[in-house]
Amino acid sequence: MKYVDTKVVFREVPDEVTLAINISNCPVHCPGCHSPYLAKDVGEILDKEALSSLIESHPGISCVSFMGGDAEPLTVREYALWIKDNYKGIKTCWYSGRDLENAGQVLDALDFVKVGPYIDEFGPLDSPGTNQRFYRIVRKEGGTPDLEDWTGRFLPRFL
C-alpha cells in the first residue's frame, strides 16, 4: 500500500483531530472524484515504520484515517489494529468508496467508517441527498459491531 500525502484535518471525523493519510491506487474510479490523482499507483510505501513516523510527527492527533485503501482492505485492517495495539487512545477511520458490505471485513478494527462511492448527482457527505454514509462503530461485549449513522453530522447547521 502506498500513500501520497497527509494532512491534519478537523472535519472528516467529527469531534476528532485526525491525521488523514491519502492512499493511492484506488480501484473505484468515481466519476467526479475530488482526488483523481489517487487512482494512480504513486507515492511512498506505507508500512508500519512509516505509519509510526507519521503518527509520532503529529502530536495531538486523536484519530488516524485511511483515505482510500480500497485495493487492500485487509492491509487497512492490519494497520488499524496495529495502531490500536501501539497507540492507545488513537482512534481509527477508513474512508472507502466501497459499499458497507464490502467494507465489513475491516469494521472490527475501526472506530469510524465512511462508505459509498462519490456520485456527482447526490453530492458529498455534506449534501442532504448524499448516497455516502459515515458511521461510528460501537462495540458491544462479545457481539458484532453496531453502526451509528453519523452522516447527518456533516450537514450544514442551517438546513
Side-chain angles (χ1 to χ4, degrees):
M1 189 158 70
K2 294 180 183 176
Y3 76 103
V4 176
D5 56 18
T6 65
K7 291 181 183 171
V8 174
V9 295
F10 303 95
R11 184 159 162 73
E12 279 70 6
V13 181
D15 305 326
E16 303 296 335
V17 177
T18 302
L19 175 63
I21 303 173
N22 289 315
I23 308 296
S24 66
N25 202 23
C26 180
V28 182
H29 303 283
C30 301
C33 173
H34 64 74
S35 303
Y37 67 97
L38 293 176
K40 298 176 183 173
D41 185 11
V42 296
E44 302 292 322
I45 297 293
L46 183 64
D47 56 19
K48 291 174 185 170
E49 184 178 329
L51 188 54
S52 180
S53 178
L54 291 170
I55 292 169
E56 291 173 15
S57 65
H58 292 88
I61 61 168
S62 60
C63 184
V64 171
S65 184
F66 299 94
M67 309 302 278
D70 292 287
E72 298 185 53
L74 294 180
T75 302
V76 171
R77 180 182 182 275
E78 175 188 349
Y79 288 1
L81 288 171
W82 181 84
I83 289 169
K84 290 187 173 306
D85 286 344
N86 291 279
Y87 295 93
K88 303 297 182 210
I90 294 186
K91 297 172 185 161
T92 56
C93 178
W94 184 28
Y95 265 59
S96 172
R98 304 292 188 175
D99 61 25
L100 186 57
E101 183 176 316
N102 287 318
Q105 60 189 331
V106 182
L107 295 181
D108 67 319
L110 302 171
D111 296 292
F112 304 96
V113 67
K114 189 281 303 176
V115 291
Y118 175 77
I119 300 175
D120 196 40
E121 65 189 85
F122 300 126
L125 277 174
D126 62 358
S127 172
T130 188
N131 64 294
Q132 298 177 319
R133 303 285 3 106
F134 186 92
Y135 297 102
R136 179 175 168 255
I137 300 166
V138 181
R139 288 170 181 70
K140 291 187 175 179
E141 191 173 323
T144 59
D146 282 342
L147 302 176
E148 291 181 358
D149 191 337
W150 277 22
T151 309
R153 296 190 65 183
F154 289 87
L155 294 175
R157 300 273 186 233
F158 57 85
L159 288 180

